[in-house]
Amino acid sequence: MNRVFRSIVRHGFPDTNRNRSLAVFTNFFLHIHPVKARLRAIRLTQTWYLGGLSAATFFILTVTGILLMFYYHPSVPRAYEDMKDLEFVVSAGVFLRNLHRWSAHMMVALVLLHMIRVFFAGAYRPPREFNWVIGVMLLLGTVLLSYTGYLLPWDQLAFWAVTVGTNMADAVPVIGGDIKFLMLGGNGVNENALLRFYVLHCVVLPAALLVGIAVHVWRVRKDGGIYLKKPESNE
Amino acid sequence: MALIDDLAEATPQLELDRRKALGLLGSGALALAGLGTSIVGVQYLWPNVLFEEDKRYKIGRPEDIPVGQVVVLPREKIYLVHLNEGFAAITAVCTHLGCMTRYESEERRFFCPCHGSVYDLEGNVTGGPAPKKLPRFQVVVDKGVLMIDASKVMDPDFVLKV
């Protein structure tokens, strides 16, 4: 093997258990996996791969979202027309917009199914309780991303959905009015609100979610991979 | 009588040692800086100047609006209703979750399309999930012209007698 390849891949051909292990934990992208996984753990029916699929939809949403950002201006005169241009003028724009939209729906569904799977498997039990809490935060982040993305097309549905949503915040006792004012950056759904939701949707929430996912997966790995019932128990 | 061995008893830690004192001072300073940053952060996100429109609207001469008429102001989101008692400037924004209601002239009512709240022409709730009646704004006659000030919410039965 030549020196350049050796400097990148620092283990031998994965034909022994040792080299197979090295292949996983010397690789940045694979090291989220535990070095050793049980066959039971990687069976489809064990997890239905719901966590991984949630992460996959997040990846699709990041890529399509960045591509949509090349055409979209978060301003009142342009937002709606840019959205229409993406649908009718931009090459493959309608494909990317719909991919973003359907992936967003899928992500919410997959995260919920993942949560249900984890609950019924009992995988939230010690020592994994705090990872369940992180999971709930990730669910909240997913829902907030859907909600902030809802305003960006700047059509009637977007406008009234966010009017209704911020009025729910308004109903919080004592500080509700201030929360609504801060969310919108004003007294109504206008250009400040659009810009605020755009920044939250494109920067703040995805960054927070990425950190949360990293911690979530890291903790699974540190607990020895996904939760498995003891084979002899009748649980 | 048993003697108490003073040396064997643990000395109560009443004084702070240097490490603990500096630790407390450090975390106190950090907490204070965190609090300050949060306050300034909220202040930064709180807009001081808003480019929102003036909330005072000139409507027209009161003698041109007969009793029983509803003047719909869709852009201003206000109904100017000439009730028997006088003029009432009633908001068109539903008290449930802030949608825009519409005036239905045949039924003589305001209807919210979002969740089906219904109000009569005085703004009282007659159906649907709305929790309270529609608030009223200040109405004055200025040089013979009716003026609504939507920044001033009056009591729920406020009318202007002309």
Side-chain angles (χ1 to χ4, degrees):
Chain A
M1 291 243 185
N2 77 51
R3 239 182 109 182
V4 177
F5 184 80
R6 258 278 158 268
S7 77
I8 299 166
V9 180
R10 292 190 290 190
H11 54 78
F13 195 78
D15 51 359
T16 64
N17 273 344
R18 182 172 181 279
N19 277 341
R20 283 192 200 107
S21 306
L22 283 169
V24 171
F25 67 67
T26 62
N27 181 308
F28 177 80
F29 298 100
L30 293 179
H31 89 283
I32 60 166
H33 290 294
V35 175
K36 206 161 73 178
R38 292 177 190 283
L39 270 176
R40 271 195 314 139
I42 55 174
R43 217 163 24 193
L44 172 68
T45 51
Q46 184 64 43
T47 59
W48 301 100
Y49 304 159
L50 290 164
L53 289 170
S54 305
T57 50
F58 181 69
F59 177 72
I60 295 170
L61 284 160
T62 308
V63 173
T64 54
I66 288 170
L67 290 170
L68 292 172
M69 282 169 77
F70 281 112
Y71 278 100
Y72 177 82
H73 300 74
S75 65
V76 171
R78 294 295 302 274
Y80 179 75
E81 299 189 352
D82 287 346
M83 182 269 288
K84 284 289 173 200
D85 276 359
L86 276 163
E87 289 202 329
F88 296 107
V89 181
V90 178
S91 303
V94 68
F95 174 73
L96 286 172
R97 180 167 134 76
N98 283 326
L99 192 58
H100 195 76
R101 184 185 145 80
W102 284 107
S103 300
H105 289 315
M106 281 305 291
M107 186 172 170
V108 175
L110 284 166
V111 166
L112 281 171
L113 288 171
H114 175 56
M115 197 176 190
I116 291 166
R117 204 286 301 173
V118 166
F119 179 79
F120 283 114
Y124 54 84
R125 281 183 288 201
R128 298 166 189 258
E129 309 109 299
F130 188 63
N131 222 13
W132 171 269
V133 175
I134 294 172
V136 173
M137 290 178 195
L138 292 175
L139 171 69
L140 192 70
T142 306
V143 172
L144 285 175
L145 271 163
S146 285
Y147 178 62
T148 50
Y150 209 174
L151 182 63
L152 303 185
W154 203 245
D155 52 8
Q156 284 293 313
L157 187 66
F159 183 87
W160 293 110
V162 172
T163 299
V164 167
T166 49
N167 271 299
M168 287 179 183
D170 196 18
V172 172
V174 189
I175 55 165
D178 288 348
I179 293 176
K180 182 189 168 190
F181 186 76
L182 266 184
M183 279 171 82
L184 294 174
N187 296 307
V189 182
N190 53 31
E191 70 269 20
N192 285 3
L194 179 59
L195 190 58
R196 272 176 195 220
F197 275 55
Y198 176 76
V199 173
L200 287 172
H201 185 76
C202 298
V203 183
V204 180
L205 291 169
L209 208 67
L210 193 64
V211 173
I213 292 169
V215 176
H216 195 62
V217 174
W218 182 81
R219 287 186 82 103
V220 172
R221 185 190 191 285
K222 287 291 163 183
D223 287 333
I226 66 140
Y227 172 83
L228 292 170
K229 282 177 212 160
K230 288 193 193 78
E232 69 272 20
S233 79
N234 294 320
E235 278 185 77
Chain B
M1 195 177 93
L3 286 170
I4 296 165
D5 184 358
D6 285 359
L7 288 175
E9 280 202 2
T11 339
Q13 283 278 326
L14 293 174
E15 287 175 32
L16 289 172
D17 55 24
R18 186 196 307 236
R19 180 184 292 256
K20 213 169 181 182
L22 287 176
L24 276 174
L25 219 61
S27 27
L30 210 64
L32 212 64
L35 185 71
T37 311
S38 325
I39 292 171
V40 175
V42 170
Q43 279 175 341
Y44 173 75
L45 291 173
W46 197 277
N48 293 325
V49 180
L50 288 174
F51 299 93
E52 292 176 356
E53 63 173 40
D54 193 354
K55 293 274 193 183
R56 289 168 300 175
Y57 310 107
K58 279 185 186 160
I59 307 306
R61 299 191 174 279
E63 55 269 26
D64 297 340
I65 303 165
V67 175
Q69 188 173 335
V70 178
V71 181
V72 181
L73 306 163
R75 209 179 61 82
E76 294 82 357
K77 299 181 183 168
I78 297 169
Y79 303 116
L80 183 69
V81 187
H82 197 167
L83 301 167
N84 292 328
E85 306 89 66
F87 287 98
I90 301 171
T91 182
V93 177
C94 183
T95 56
H96 176 223
L97 286 169
C99 287
M100 175 98 166
T101 59
R102 61 169 179 249
Y103 172 50
E104 295 186 333
S105 51
E106 301 93 74
E107 288 94 345
R108 309 263 314 147
R109 65 176 194 175
F110 305 127
F111 176 77
C112 181
C114 282
H115 309 101
S117 294
V118 187
Y119 305 88
D120 65 18
L121 293 190
E122 297 191 9
N124 298 309
V125 181
T126 54
K132 54 182 187 245
K133 75 181 280 189
L134 295 169
R136 297 185 183 182
F137 301 123
Q138 192 191 55
V139 197
V140 290
V141 176
D142 182 37
K143 293 174 192 134
V145 174
L146 281 167
M147 272 246 302
I148 299 173
D149 187 347
S151 65
K152 295 199 176 94
V153 179
M154 310 305 279
D155 66 70
D157 298 316
F158 175 84
V159 287
L160 175 77
K161 291 188 181 79
V162 179

